[in-house]
Structures are given as C-alpha cells and as structure tokens.
C-alpha cells in the first residue's frame, strides 16, 4: 500500500464460515458480505505489521470539506447493525487500539418486529429443510432451484428472486417470503431480528476507543427508488433514532450504495457532513464529499491484494 494514500474499507458481517443447509456456506459468504473472525483479525494484524495507520473518518471528512489531502491510512467502516459487531469486532479493535465507524440502519435492530427482507431471505435459504424450490415471479418468469446444488444456491443469492425481494413493495416482499418459508422452511422466522441485530440500547457501546456510530438510513431502502419526501423521512427518522443513544451523526452511508445527485442533495440538506458510496478508490482532496469511495472487503480476499 502506498504510504500517502487514504482508503476507506467497508465490512458487513463477521461470522464463521459454517456449512449450513445441504452442506453449503451461508448466503453472506456466498454473496461476499461476510468475513470470518479469523480473516478480520488477519486484516487488522496486517495493518499493524505494515505500520498503516487507522484513521478516524471524521478527520477524512474535515480534510475533504477543506479540499485538503486527507490523512494517510485506512478508515474501517461496518454497515448495517449486526449483533456480532459487539462481540467479534469491538474487542479486536480495542486490543489494537483501533477505531471504526459503524453505520447503523436504525429500523434494523433486535427489538424490530421483523428482520430486513434480505436477511430473512438468506435465513430461509441457509436453514431450508426441503431442497426443491419452484416459484413464479411477479413478471411471470419461473425460478426452479435445487438447494443441494451449490450453483443453484448461488443463483438465488444473486439472481432475480433476490431483486424482487429487495426492491418490491412491502406487500410483495411478505408474499414472496411467505411462499419461500412454506416451500423450504416450514416454520416461522419471527424471532430472527432478535438473533441477528444489536439492541438499540447497546449502540453506544460500539462507540468505544474513538469509534463512531453513523447513519445508514432507517429501513435500508435504496434511496434512489424513493421520492424526495420519502428520502427526507428516511433520513429524519434515522437521525432522530440515533440521537438519544449516540448523539448527532456526522456521516451517511448509502444503503446498497444507491446514490445519485438528487439523493446526495437530500443527504446534504439533512445536515450530514458527507456520505460514503461503494465505488472502489482512494479518497483524495478532490473526492466528492457526498460520494466518497470505499473498498468492499469480501471474504477470502487478502487485504494486501485489495490495497496493492
């Protein structure tokens, strides 16, 4: 890694690579949105060995706002709000006197009535008791998959069924997930939120050793699909929900990286000082303050290769 560069790293889940339904890895590992605790530890130790500084995101935002080159090093960020952040991430950061920015979707917490639709979708696939799936999608196309085949599971993790669940209306999401539960699981997943996410009362515990808790929307909807009024409501609800626990958020991370000039303007109007996208690249003095680049850290990837 070049000594003068500034790189923002994006993590999501930190969970062991277990063999789940029909002997395949979890959807998160297949999707690349999970690293193992061992991989995270190896990444942090590599930063130490290479004498690469872990830089507070706030310092990068200030420099970019002033059109100055931000401090050299890496910024560690984690998106969404998963429970293992407190048990797997924070202790490893504290051991190395490192900090991170944790981006929380405030409607995605342990007390929520339901898990996020994609988390529920992945849970059903990972814990399926029946291997065969036949489903007609709203556009009339069909999904046929055998979960005993790894390639079929991978196609469900990346394919059109996931997109319908991700982008469909709440009614459609519930209908599709109910059909999947009936076909594959045969039981309820109503307690999933409590198992997956952090309670709101412990968000503040993430902000230890110089770490910060920041904004990632309320429902984790793609803001580009919403009206201006809906975007403003998402942002206002998120910021108001965070404030009693961690104070005022200073930065925003776009859910799924979905952003354009209109969305960026609404984020700026909400009073946030900057926003992170998902386009890989280094942060420089000329970076767009409301679409700062980030490197997506996926499982199985050596940090040295990502930052070479």
């Amino acid at each position: 890694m070049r000594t003068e560069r500034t790189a923002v790293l994006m993590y999501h889940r930190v969970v062991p690579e277990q063999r789940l339904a029909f002997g395949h890895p979890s959807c998160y590992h297949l999707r690349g949105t999970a690293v193992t605790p061992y991989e995270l530890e190896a990444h942090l130790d590599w930063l130490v060995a290479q004498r690469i500084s872990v830089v507070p995101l706030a310092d990068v935002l200030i420099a970019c706002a002033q059109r100055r080159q931000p401090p050299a090093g890496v910024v560690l960020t984690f998106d969404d709000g998963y429970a293992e952040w407190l048990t797997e991430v924070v202790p490893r950061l504290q051991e190395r006197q490192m900090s991170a920015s944790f981006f929380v979707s405030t409607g995605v917490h342990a007390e929520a009535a339901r898990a996020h639709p994609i988390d529920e979708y992945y849970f059903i696939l990972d814990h399926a008791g029946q291997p065969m799936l036949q489903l007609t999608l709203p556009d009339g196309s069909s999904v046929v998959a055998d979960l005993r085949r790894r390639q079929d599971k991978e196609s469900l993790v990346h394919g059109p069924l996931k997109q319908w669940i991700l982008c469909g209306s709440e009614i459609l999401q519930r209908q599709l997930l109910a059909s999947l539960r009936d076909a594959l699981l045969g039981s309820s997943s109503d307690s999933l939120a409590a198992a997956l996410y952090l309670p709101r009362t412990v968000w503040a515990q993430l902000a230890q050793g110089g770490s910060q808790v920041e904004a990632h929307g309320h429902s984790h909807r793609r803001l580009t699909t919403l009206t201006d009024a809906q975007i403003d409501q998402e942002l206002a609800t998120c910021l108001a929900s965070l404030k009693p626990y961690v104070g005022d958020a200073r930065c925003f991370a776009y859910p799924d990286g979905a952003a354009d000039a209109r969305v960026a303007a609404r984020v700026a109007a909400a009073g946030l000082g900057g926003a992170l996208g998902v386009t890989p690249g280094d942060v420089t003095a000329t970076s767009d303050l409301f679409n700062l680049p980030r490197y997506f850290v996926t499982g199985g990837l050596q940090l040295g290769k990502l930052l070479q």
Side-chain angles (χ1 to χ4, degrees):
M1 176 173 171
R2 301 191 309 274
T3 56
E4 76 280 5
R5 74 190 294 185
T6 305
V8 181
L9 306 181
M10 174 176 54
Y11 293 85
H12 292 82
R13 301 213 65 186
V14 181
V15 289
E17 188 171 355
Q18 299 173 312
R19 298 292 169 171
L20 298 173
F22 309 106
H24 301 310
S26 76
C27 294
Y28 301 100
H29 286 289
L30 292 175
R31 171 68 178 84
T33 51
V35 299
T36 68
Y38 172 81
E39 286 176 316
L40 176 63
E41 195 158 276
H43 292 173
L44 300 181
D45 286 342
W46 181 83
L47 294 173
V48 173
Q50 298 296 312
R51 298 183 179 179
I52 297 170
S53 299
V54 174
V55 179
L57 178 59
D59 292 353
V60 174
L61 293 177
I62 291 169
C64 289
Q66 298 173 351
R67 292 299 179 189
R68 293 188 289 105
Q69 182 62 32
V74 302
V75 178
L76 302 174
T77 69
F78 295 81
D79 283 9
D80 296 337
Y82 291 107
E84 71 267 9
W85 290 358
L86 204 58
T87 57
E88 300 291 353
V89 179
V90 170
R92 288 178 168 83
L93 295 176
Q94 291 178 331
E95 288 170 8
R96 296 161 180 82
Q97 296 183 314
M98 294 176 175
S99 63
S101 291
F102 296 94
F103 286 87
V104 172
S105 291
T106 54
V108 180
H109 53 77
E111 299 88 359
R114 296 179 67 95
H116 185 275
I118 293 302
D119 285 321
E120 186 172 353
Y121 176 53
Y122 286 175
F123 178 85
I124 293 169
L125 297 182
D126 283 341
H127 297 85
Q130 300 296 325
M132 296 304 301
L133 175 65
Q134 292 184 324
L135 191 66
T136 301
L137 297 178
D139 62 359
S141 62
S142 297
V143 172
V144 179
D146 182 347
L147 288 174
R148 292 169 295 196
R149 295 162 50 92
R150 176 172 173 144
Q151 59 266 41
D152 282 19
K153 184 174 183 179
E154 289 176 339
S155 72
L156 293 174
V157 168
H158 296 280
L161 174 55
K162 178 188 173 181
Q163 294 307 311
W164 279 106
I165 292 173
L166 180 63
C167 300
S169 67
E170 183 176 352
I171 293 175
L172 179 58
Q173 289 172 340
R174 287 176 180 263
Q175 289 173 342
L176 288 172
L177 290 169
S179 296
L180 286 168
R181 284 196 303 272
D182 290 343
L184 299 177
L185 197 62
S187 61
S188 171
S189 53
D190 291 343
S191 62
L192 184 57
L196 281 180
Y197 309 131
L198 288 166
R200 289 168 290 186
T201 53
V202 303
W203 286 342
Q205 294 181 38
L206 295 171
Q208 302 178 35
S211 293
Q212 296 293 325
V213 178
E214 302 288 0
H216 195 39
H218 183 66
S219 65
H220 202 279
R221 287 188 290 176
R222 292 180 173 179
L223 299 188
T224 50
T225 67
L226 307 181
T227 66
D228 285 358
Q230 289 172 324
I231 294 171
D232 292 345
Q233 184 62 46
E234 273 283 306
L235 295 170
T237 304
C238 176
L239 297 177
S241 299
L242 282 176
K243 189 166 186 175
Y245 302 101
V246 298
D248 292 324
R250 294 173 290 184
C251 191
F252 188 77
Y254 298 110
D256 293 324
D260 53 23
R262 178 179 69 95
V263 169
R266 303 317 309 160
V267 172
L272 288 149
L276 303 178
V278 296
T279 302
D282 294 347
V283 182
T284 69
T286 59
S287 292
D288 182 348
L289 188 58
F290 284 89
N291 194 16
L292 295 173
R294 281 198 291 179
Y295 290 97
F296 191 157
V297 182
T298 60
L301 183 65
Q302 294 181 3
L303 205 55
K305 290 185 178 180
L306 181 66
L307 296 176
Q308 64 186 2

